[in-house]
mmCIF file of all heavy atoms in Angstrom:
data_model
loop_
_atom_site.group_PDB
_atom_site.id
_atom_site.type_symbol
_atom_site.label_atom_id
_atom_site.label_comp_id
_atom_site.label_asym_id
_atom_site.label_seq_id
_atom_site.Cartn_x
_atom_site.Cartn_y
_atom_site.Cartn_z
ATOM 1 N N LEU A 291 -16.724 -11.465 -20.880
ATOM 2 C CA LEU A 291 -16.220 -11.793 -22.308
ATOM 3 C C LEU A 291 -15.852 -13.241 -22.507
ATOM 4 O O LEU A 291 -16.104 -13.784 -23.515
ATOM 5 C CB LEU A 291 -14.942 -10.956 -22.454
ATOM 6 C CG LEU A 291 -14.090 -11.130 -23.805
ATOM 7 C CD1 LEU A 291 -15.010 -10.819 -24.920
ATOM 8 C CD2 LEU A 291 -12.916 -10.198 -23.740
ATOM 9 N N SER A 331 -10.721 -1.471 -22.874
ATOM 10 C CA SER A 331 -10.556 -2.398 -23.939
ATOM 11 C C SER A 331 -11.343 -3.668 -23.920
ATOM 12 O O SER A 331 -11.930 -4.117 -24.831
ATOM 13 C CB SER A 331 -9.088 -2.846 -23.927
ATOM 14 O OG SER A 331 -8.171 -1.722 -24.256
ATOM 15 N N GLY A 334 -14.720 -2.967 -25.095
ATOM 16 C CA GLY A 334 -14.622 -3.003 -26.598
ATOM 17 C C GLY A 334 -14.783 -4.365 -26.977
ATOM 18 O O GLY A 334 -15.491 -4.703 -28.025
ATOM 19 N N TYR A 335 -13.982 -5.280 -26.523
ATOM 20 C CA TYR A 335 -13.956 -6.654 -26.977
ATOM 21 C C TYR A 335 -15.229 -7.395 -26.777
ATOM 22 O O TYR A 335 -15.736 -8.170 -27.567
ATOM 23 C CB TYR A 335 -12.848 -7.430 -26.321
ATOM 24 C CG TYR A 335 -11.369 -7.077 -26.949
ATOM 25 C CD1 TYR A 335 -10.463 -6.593 -26.072
ATOM 26 C CD2 TYR A 335 -11.099 -7.410 -28.235
ATOM 27 C CE1 TYR A 335 -9.185 -6.287 -26.507
ATOM 28 C CE2 TYR A 335 -9.760 -7.075 -28.693
ATOM 29 C CZ TYR A 335 -8.895 -6.525 -27.905
ATOM 30 O OH TYR A 335 -7.621 -6.190 -28.329
ATOM 31 N N LEU A 336 -15.835 -7.089 -25.640
ATOM 32 C CA LEU A 336 -17.124 -7.655 -25.274
ATOM 33 C C LEU A 336 -18.191 -7.336 -26.310
ATOM 34 O O LEU A 336 -18.896 -8.223 -26.801
ATOM 35 C CB LEU A 336 -17.557 -7.261 -23.790
ATOM 36 C CG LEU A 336 -18.899 -7.749 -23.369
ATOM 37 C CD1 LEU A 336 -18.842 -9.369 -23.281
ATOM 38 C CD2 LEU A 336 -19.284 -7.133 -22.031
ATOM 39 N N PHE A 337 -18.360 -6.051 -26.720
ATOM 40 C CA PHE A 337 -19.386 -5.682 -27.538
ATOM 41 C C PHE A 337 -18.967 -6.150 -28.989
ATOM 42 O O PHE A 337 -19.888 -6.642 -29.688
ATOM 43 C CB PHE A 337 -19.461 -4.052 -27.618
ATOM 44 C CG PHE A 337 -20.354 -3.569 -26.533
ATOM 45 C CD1 PHE A 337 -19.784 -3.306 -25.268
ATOM 46 C CD2 PHE A 337 -21.799 -3.436 -26.813
ATOM 47 C CE1 PHE A 337 -20.626 -2.820 -24.279
ATOM 48 C CE2 PHE A 337 -22.500 -2.903 -25.756
ATOM 49 C CZ PHE A 337 -21.924 -2.644 -24.482
ATOM 50 N N PHE A 338 -17.705 -6.260 -29.316
ATOM 51 C CA PHE A 338 -17.290 -6.810 -30.579
ATOM 52 C C PHE A 338 -17.705 -8.240 -30.740
ATOM 53 O O PHE A 338 -18.185 -8.781 -31.696
ATOM 54 C CB PHE A 338 -15.829 -6.503 -30.892
ATOM 55 C CG PHE A 338 -15.361 -6.853 -32.233
ATOM 56 C CD1 PHE A 338 -15.370 -5.750 -33.068
ATOM 57 C CD2 PHE A 338 -14.908 -8.022 -32.580
ATOM 58 C CE1 PHE A 338 -14.996 -6.014 -34.515
ATOM 59 C CE2 PHE A 338 -14.514 -8.264 -33.914
ATOM 60 C CZ PHE A 338 -14.422 -7.362 -34.792
ATOM 61 N N ALA A 339 -17.360 -9.022 -29.570
ATOM 62 C CA ALA A 339 -17.699 -10.462 -29.618
ATOM 63 C C ALA A 339 -19.112 -10.754 -29.635
ATOM 64 O O ALA A 339 -19.583 -11.661 -30.400
ATOM 65 C CB ALA A 339 -17.084 -11.057 -28.346
ATOM 66 N N THR A 342 -20.190 -10.151 -33.481
ATOM 67 C CA THR A 342 -19.555 -11.105 -34.562
ATOM 68 C C THR A 342 -19.765 -12.551 -34.272
ATOM 69 O O THR A 342 -19.634 -13.281 -35.238
ATOM 70 C CB THR A 342 -18.064 -10.679 -34.705
ATOM 71 O OG1 THR A 342 -17.481 -10.903 -33.527
ATOM 72 C CG2 THR A 342 -17.943 -9.181 -35.155
ATOM 73 N N LEU A 355 -21.209 -3.109 -32.774
ATOM 74 C CA LEU A 355 -19.954 -2.895 -33.485
ATOM 75 C C LEU A 355 -19.519 -1.394 -33.287
ATOM 76 O O LEU A 355 -18.420 -1.079 -33.001
ATOM 77 C CB LEU A 355 -20.056 -3.372 -34.856
ATOM 78 C CG LEU A 355 -19.979 -4.712 -35.243
ATOM 79 C CD1 LEU A 355 -20.230 -4.961 -36.762
ATOM 80 C CD2 LEU A 355 -18.728 -5.414 -34.768
ATOM 81 N N SER A 358 -18.615 -0.808 -29.714
ATOM 82 C CA SER A 358 -17.332 -1.392 -29.501
ATOM 83 C C SER A 358 -16.167 -0.321 -29.903
ATOM 84 O O SER A 358 -15.179 -0.210 -29.301
ATOM 85 C CB SER A 358 -17.134 -2.702 -30.305
ATOM 86 O OG SER A 358 -15.805 -3.156 -30.233
ATOM 87 N N GLY A 359 -16.449 0.183 -31.112
ATOM 88 C CA GLY A 359 -15.417 1.235 -31.547
ATOM 89 C C GLY A 359 -15.338 2.330 -30.643
ATOM 90 O O GLY A 359 -14.251 3.063 -30.464
ATOM 91 N N PHE A 362 -13.264 1.290 -27.635
ATOM 92 C CA PHE A 362 -11.780 1.346 -28.041
ATOM 93 C C PHE A 362 -11.260 2.805 -28.198
ATOM 94 O O PHE A 362 -10.105 2.941 -27.952
ATOM 95 C CB PHE A 362 -11.615 0.462 -29.345
ATOM 96 C CG PHE A 362 -11.722 -0.969 -29.187
ATOM 97 C CD1 PHE A 362 -12.390 -1.747 -29.985
ATOM 98 C CD2 PHE A 362 -11.016 -1.589 -28.122
ATOM 99 C CE1 PHE A 362 -12.588 -3.058 -29.819
ATOM 100 C CE2 PHE A 362 -11.088 -3.049 -27.923
ATOM 101 C CZ PHE A 362 -11.869 -3.694 -28.736
ATOM 102 N N GLY A 372 -3.452 1.093 -28.164
ATOM 103 C CA GLY A 372 -4.760 0.611 -28.400
ATOM 104 C C GLY A 372 -5.181 0.799 -29.716
ATOM 105 O O GLY A 372 -6.265 0.346 -30.175
ATOM 106 N N ILE A 373 -4.452 1.518 -30.558
ATOM 107 C CA ILE A 373 -4.758 1.726 -31.889
ATOM 108 C C ILE A 373 -4.745 0.378 -32.647
ATOM 109 O O ILE A 373 -5.420 0.128 -33.751
ATOM 110 C CB ILE A 373 -3.839 2.676 -32.697
ATOM 111 C CG1 ILE A 373 -4.288 3.041 -34.038
ATOM 112 C CG2 ILE A 373 -2.284 2.153 -32.787
ATOM 113 C CD1 ILE A 373 -5.615 3.879 -34.152
ATOM 114 N N PHE A 374 -4.044 -0.536 -32.189
ATOM 115 C CA PHE A 374 -3.933 -1.980 -32.716
ATOM 116 C C PHE A 374 -5.329 -2.725 -32.719
ATOM 117 O O PHE A 374 -5.475 -3.751 -33.334
ATOM 118 C CB PHE A 374 -2.753 -2.836 -32.288
ATOM 119 C CG PHE A 374 -1.456 -2.145 -32.611
ATOM 120 C CD1 PHE A 374 -0.671 -1.629 -31.679
ATOM 121 C CD2 PHE A 374 -0.996 -2.267 -34.003
ATOM 122 C CE1 PHE A 374 0.677 -1.176 -32.011
ATOM 123 C CE2 PHE A 374 0.149 -1.748 -34.440
ATOM 124 C CZ PHE A 374 1.061 -1.202 -33.330
ATOM 125 N N ASN A 375 -6.152 -2.226 -31.855
ATOM 126 C CA ASN A 375 -7.501 -2.816 -31.690
ATOM 127 C C ASN A 375 -8.254 -2.692 -32.979
ATOM 128 O O ASN A 375 -9.275 -3.468 -33.296
ATOM 129 C CB ASN A 375 -8.236 -2.328 -30.523
ATOM 130 C CG ASN A 375 -7.662 -2.781 -29.211
ATOM 131 O OD1 ASN A 375 -7.219 -3.792 -28.942
ATOM 132 N ND2 ASN A 375 -7.708 -1.735 -28.161
ATOM 133 N N GLY A 376 -7.822 -1.727 -33.760
ATOM 134 C CA GLY A 376 -8.414 -1.512 -35.142
ATOM 135 C C GLY A 376 -8.260 -2.628 -36.018
ATOM 136 O O GLY A 376 -9.081 -2.779 -37.025
ATOM 137 N N ILE A 377 -7.367 -3.542 -35.889
ATOM 138 C CA ILE A 377 -7.089 -4.709 -36.681
ATOM 139 C C ILE A 377 -8.495 -5.541 -36.633
ATOM 140 O O ILE A 377 -8.765 -6.085 -37.686
ATOM 141 C CB ILE A 377 -5.937 -5.565 -36.138
ATOM 142 C CG1 ILE A 377 -4.595 -4.665 -36.372
ATOM 143 C CG2 ILE A 377 -5.909 -6.781 -36.867
ATOM 144 C CD1 ILE A 377 -3.370 -5.384 -35.707
ATOM 145 N N LEU A 378 -9.128 -5.591 -35.499
ATOM 146 C CA LEU A 378 -10.344 -6.410 -35.393
ATOM 147 C C LEU A 378 -11.333 -5.935 -36.516
ATOM 148 O O LEU A 378 -11.909 -6.696 -37.219
ATOM 149 C CB LEU A 378 -11.027 -6.330 -34.018
ATOM 150 C CG LEU A 378 -10.310 -6.922 -32.862
ATOM 151 C CD1 LEU A 378 -10.983 -6.496 -31.636
ATOM 152 C CD2 LEU A 378 -10.210 -8.402 -33.035
ATOM 153 N N PHE A 379 -11.518 -4.587 -36.621
ATOM 154 C CA PHE A 379 -12.546 -4.069 -37.455
ATOM 155 C C PHE A 379 -11.985 -4.293 -38.980
ATOM 156 O O PHE A 379 -12.760 -4.508 -39.924
ATOM 157 C CB PHE A 379 -12.760 -2.590 -37.401
ATOM 158 C CG PHE A 379 -13.418 -2.245 -35.987
ATOM 159 C CD1 PHE A 379 -12.514 -2.148 -34.871
ATOM 160 C CD2 PHE A 379 -14.763 -2.263 -35.864
ATOM 161 C CE1 PHE A 379 -13.207 -1.810 -33.631
ATOM 162 C CE2 PHE A 379 -15.329 -1.953 -34.663
ATOM 163 C CZ PHE A 379 -14.454 -1.831 -33.490
ATOM 164 N N ALA A 380 -10.563 -4.096 -39.209
ATOM 165 C CA ALA A 380 -10.186 -4.306 -40.529
ATOM 166 C C ALA A 380 -10.315 -5.827 -41.051
ATOM 167 O O ALA A 380 -10.706 -5.980 -42.249
ATOM 168 C CB ALA A 380 -8.684 -3.945 -40.573
ATOM 169 N N VAL A 381 -10.012 -6.816 -40.255
ATOM 170 C CA VAL A 381 -10.231 -8.103 -40.564
ATOM 171 C C VAL A 381 -11.632 -8.516 -40.794
ATOM 172 O O VAL A 381 -11.916 -9.137 -41.789
ATOM 173 C CB VAL A 381 -9.610 -9.041 -39.487
ATOM 174 C CG1 VAL A 381 -9.851 -10.545 -39.746
ATOM 175 C CG2 VAL A 381 -8.135 -8.795 -39.381
ATOM 176 N N GLU A 382 -12.553 -8.050 -39.932
ATOM 177 C CA GLU A 382 -14.013 -8.394 -40.126
ATOM 178 C C GLU A 382 -14.491 -7.738 -41.399
ATOM 179 O O GLU A 382 -15.333 -8.312 -42.007
ATOM 180 C CB GLU A 382 -14.729 -7.896 -38.811
ATOM 181 C CG GLU A 382 -16.061 -8.349 -38.911
ATOM 182 C CD GLU A 382 -16.297 -9.875 -38.712
ATOM 183 O OE1 GLU A 382 -15.360 -10.526 -38.260
ATOM 184 O OE2 GLU A 382 -17.471 -10.404 -39.168
ATOM 185 N N LEU A 383 -14.066 -6.490 -41.698
ATOM 186 C CA LEU A 383 -14.492 -5.741 -42.749
ATOM 187 C C LEU A 383 -13.989 -6.474 -44.131
ATOM 188 O O LEU A 383 -14.771 -6.586 -45.158
ATOM 189 C CB LEU A 383 -14.018 -4.426 -42.845
ATOM 190 C CG LEU A 383 -14.407 -3.470 -43.975
ATOM 191 C CD1 LEU A 383 -15.979 -3.341 -44.214
ATOM 192 C CD2 LEU A 383 -13.738 -2.079 -43.947
ATOM 193 N N PHE A 384 -12.734 -7.011 -44.053
ATOM 194 C CA PHE A 384 -12.249 -7.796 -45.202
ATOM 195 C C PHE A 384 -13.087 -9.016 -45.458
ATOM 196 O O PHE A 384 -13.332 -9.317 -46.570
ATOM 197 C CB PHE A 384 -10.875 -8.091 -44.952
ATOM 198 C CG PHE A 384 -10.149 -8.843 -46.023
ATOM 199 C CD1 PHE A 384 -9.693 -8.166 -47.255
ATOM 200 C CD2 PHE A 384 -10.018 -10.213 -45.962
ATOM 201 C CE1 PHE A 384 -9.036 -8.885 -48.232
ATOM 202 C CE2 PHE A 384 -9.383 -10.924 -47.012
ATOM 203 C CZ PHE A 384 -8.977 -10.180 -48.174
ATOM 204 N N ARG A 385 -13.446 -9.628 -44.420
ATOM 205 C CA ARG A 385 -14.230 -10.774 -44.435
ATOM 206 C C ARG A 385 -15.638 -10.506 -45.110
ATOM 207 O O ARG A 385 -16.163 -11.205 -45.968
ATOM 208 C CB ARG A 385 -14.498 -11.477 -43.145
ATOM 209 C CG ARG A 385 -14.968 -12.866 -43.120
ATOM 210 C CD ARG A 385 -15.053 -13.545 -41.741
ATOM 211 N NE ARG A 385 -16.096 -12.849 -41.022
ATOM 212 C CZ ARG A 385 -17.479 -13.110 -41.064
ATOM 213 N NH1 ARG A 385 -17.971 -14.061 -41.914
ATOM 214 N NH2 ARG A 385 -18.367 -12.485 -40.296
ATOM 215 N N LEU A 402 -19.020 -1.534 -39.297
ATOM 216 C CA LEU A 402 -17.520 -1.774 -39.100
ATOM 217 C C LEU A 402 -16.735 -0.609 -39.180
ATOM 218 O O LEU A 402 -15.830 -0.067 -38.540
ATOM 219 C CB LEU A 402 -17.103 -2.837 -39.958
ATOM 220 C CG LEU A 402 -17.582 -4.351 -39.549
ATOM 221 C CD1 LEU A 402 -17.295 -5.291 -40.608
ATOM 222 C CD2 LEU A 402 -16.826 -4.694 -38.257
ATOM 223 N N GLY A 405 -17.322 2.033 -36.516
ATOM 224 C CA GLY A 405 -16.646 1.586 -35.312
ATOM 225 C C GLY A 405 -15.143 1.797 -35.425
ATOM 226 O O GLY A 405 -14.468 2.410 -34.480
ATOM 227 N N GLY A 406 -14.485 1.521 -36.644
ATOM 228 C CA GLY A 406 -13.149 1.662 -36.797
ATOM 229 C C GLY A 406 -12.864 3.205 -36.816
ATOM 230 O O GLY A 406 -11.746 3.659 -36.355
ATOM 231 N N LEU A 409 -12.708 4.571 -33.319
ATOM 232 C CA LEU A 409 -11.415 4.397 -32.587
ATOM 233 C C LEU A 409 -10.268 5.365 -33.173
ATOM 234 O O LEU A 409 -9.457 5.860 -32.462
ATOM 235 C CB LEU A 409 -11.026 2.904 -33.019
ATOM 236 C CG LEU A 409 -9.775 2.269 -32.251
ATOM 237 C CD1 LEU A 409 -9.831 0.850 -32.325
ATOM 238 C CD2 LEU A 409 -8.456 2.859 -32.729
#
Side-chain angles (χ1 to χ4, degrees):
L291 175 61
S331 294
Y335 285 118
L336 177 60
F337 277 88
F338 191 90
T342 57
L355 286 173
S358 172
F362 285 135
I373 190 66
F374 292 110
N375 289 323
I377 295 175
L378 292 173
F379 295 90
V381 171
E382 189 65 20
L383 180 60
F384 180 79
R385 191 179 69 83
L402 287 166
L409 193 163

